[in-house]
Amino acid sequence: MTTPPAGPEIERLIHLLARLPGLGPRSARRAALHLIRKREELLGPLSDAMRQAHDRLVVCHVCGNMDTRDPCAICADPTRDQGLIVVVETIADLWALERAAALPARYHVLGGTLSALEGTGPKDLNLDALVDRVAQGGVREVVLAVNATVDGQTTAHYITDLLNSYGVKITRLAHGVPIGGELDYLDEGTLATALRSRTDF
Amino acid sequence: MFEHQTIETGFAFPFVRRLILADFRSYAALDLPLSHKLIVVTGENGAGKTNLIEALSLFMPGRGLRRAELATCARSGGNGGFAVSIEIESAGERCQLGTGLQAQGDGRLARQYRIDRAPVGSARAFADHLRLLWLTPALDGLFAAAPGERRRFLDRLVLCVDADHGTRVAALERALRNRNRQLEDPHPDPRWLDATEREIAEIAIAVAAARVETVTRLRLLIEESRDSHSPFPWADLALRGELEQWVGVSPALEAEDRYRAMLRDNRRRDAAAGRTLIGPQNSDLLVRHGPKGTEAALSSTGEQKALLVGLVLAHARLVARMVERAPVLLLDEIAAHFDTARRNALFEDLAALPGQVWLTGAEATAFSGLVGRADMLEVTPGRVTHQGAG
């Protein structure tokens, strides 16, 4: 058996980095080497930042987002529209919508989608908290920003039915022409959906 | 010298001009230039003829003409991955499509799709450049086979004109599996079942509508062009299935509501059966021998093959008309079951089709009528040689 080129601490670091999404053993080794070379500028601050995030990470009891405070920074922001809730599947989706910065809304993170095949039922999702938020009043519109997959759309139908008796407006993301898209190149299904989802101009 | 088609305005005739394989089945490396509209591939059994057209079939959504697990397409002795690349020429422009299975950073193999070397999301993107249709010996018994086989064949016909059909069929299968799993629970959540059935109804009506449209248009095209004396008898087509009947007579939303109500009413029956008994997942393509007016399954083996070839040729013309892009036809072991007269008639029909056609067969002599009009390729294990193309 060959001797590892580094001690057990560094091997452990490589092993852990390799478990990150998008990193394989080779890129983890490269990342570890970079951290070792930049010990003061990167390795130290990174380990401090990770430790602090680890110690302070909490789930927001209002929306299900993860932050270092509860309520999270978005729920605590008084400039956000209190009457508008955007429902997302995951925190990654929340971050993606925040990057777009299109709506000063608040969010609700479901933590997945309904899928009998994967054993995820209504009780496994953050649905009770959503109903509580709507039942408390003050919510005008719930935007279902779930993926256009079978499971995403089934979840959207479920939530629509769940909130049916509360009298809030329920909307979903428009499906249609992408930015920069030319109509001539779009398939008929996308064009039909885009026409159905047309808006005032 | 390349052979060019006459190009009508706005009409595309994509021809494969180069096929490159790396570690694909019996081929460690292959770079095959092509110049004709007809490509004839001959060689002994097991030499690797079907492997060539299987490689092309991977440019349609799905698992290709053998419906094989992708990992099994990798050459044994290779690194587990493979690559297939084609250069296509259409309306005077060239474009490169690539697909394969490649090792990722974490060592896992993942399917790759590229157009002009830039990554794209799925094989669906290739539909903007190329449509493919195929016939293999596995389809010889199609008319007497189980309805599921004909349904799969029909869905491939639909996919050729409607590139999103495959995604919808896969979504329907997943939604139905979700419902079946929920029905296994003795006390399923009714609201969750309602939501699942609403989603099933939306997709199911879209699937049924796409099938109805394709079959209706194909019937019309066959009616327009049928010739009772052709060696390839015309097929009389019909669809069997509740939803397919509704789609033609009522608006889609009404059909969705009706199917949703039916799913709700049938929960107990479906739970007992362990599957959803009514829906497009149980539809069937009914085919009759047009000139004789009898069920296709009652015809002789040779007649069934001729009927199937006639159907595929008609569909190739339909695809060209509907999507303004002639499909590339892949005909595996096509000369089997045909006498010389019918074979020569087939060659003439194929030469008259707008798209490129690949034909395979064990005996080179069966294709002697095409010498000078086709790329004549001879396959020996792992190698392909041109046999003096015209």
Side-chain angles (χ1 to χ4, degrees), chain A residues 23-27 114-118 120-122 149-151 153-154 157-158 161-162 185 187-190, chain B residues 105-107 124 128 162 164 168 171-172 174-175 177-178 181-182 189 191-192 194-196 198-199 202-203:
Chain A
L23 288 189
R26 193 174 294 179
S27 39
L114 293 174
S115 170
L117 291 172
E118 275 142 37
T120 312
T149 58
V150 166
D151 294 343
Q153 294 307 301
T154 301
H157 292 313
Y158 185 91
D161 192 35
L162 193 64
Y185 287 94
D187 64 273
E188 291 77 6
T190 305
Chain B
D106 57 5
R124 161 69 184 82
D128 294 336
D162 179 350
D164 290 316
R168 283 194 293 263
L172 178 64
R174 181 175 175 88
R177 285 204 307 275
N178 261 323
R181 183 66 60 84
Q182 282 170 263
D189 178 333
R191 180 173 276 144
W192 186 7
D194 281 346
T196 305
R198 184 180 286 270
E199 181 64 9
E202 283 179 15
I203 310 170

Side-chain angles (χ1 to χ4, degrees), chain B residues 314-327:
Chain B
H315 193 63
R317 288 193 294 271
L318 179 72
V319 175
R321 186 185 287 185
M322 281 180 75
V323 302
E324 298 184 348
R325 179 168 285 113

Side-chain angles (χ1 to χ4, degrees), chain A residues 23-34:
Chain A
L23 288 189
R26 193 174 294 179
S27 39
R29 217 167 281 132
R30 210 175 301 139
L33 207 55
H34 187 71

Side-chain angles (χ1 to χ4, degrees), chain B residues 292-316:
Chain B
K292 288 187 177 175
T294 54
E295 277 180 42
L298 301 176
S299 301
S300 71
T301 312
E303 274 187 315
Q304 287 190 37
K305 181 92 176 187
L307 198 58
L308 195 55
V309 168
L311 187 56
V312 168
L313 295 184
H315 193 63

Side-chain angles (χ1 to χ4, degrees), chain B residues 79-90:
Chain B
N79 65 3
F82 69 85
V84 180
S85 167
I86 55 174
E87 200 170 285
I88 55 173
E89 184 186 358
S90 182

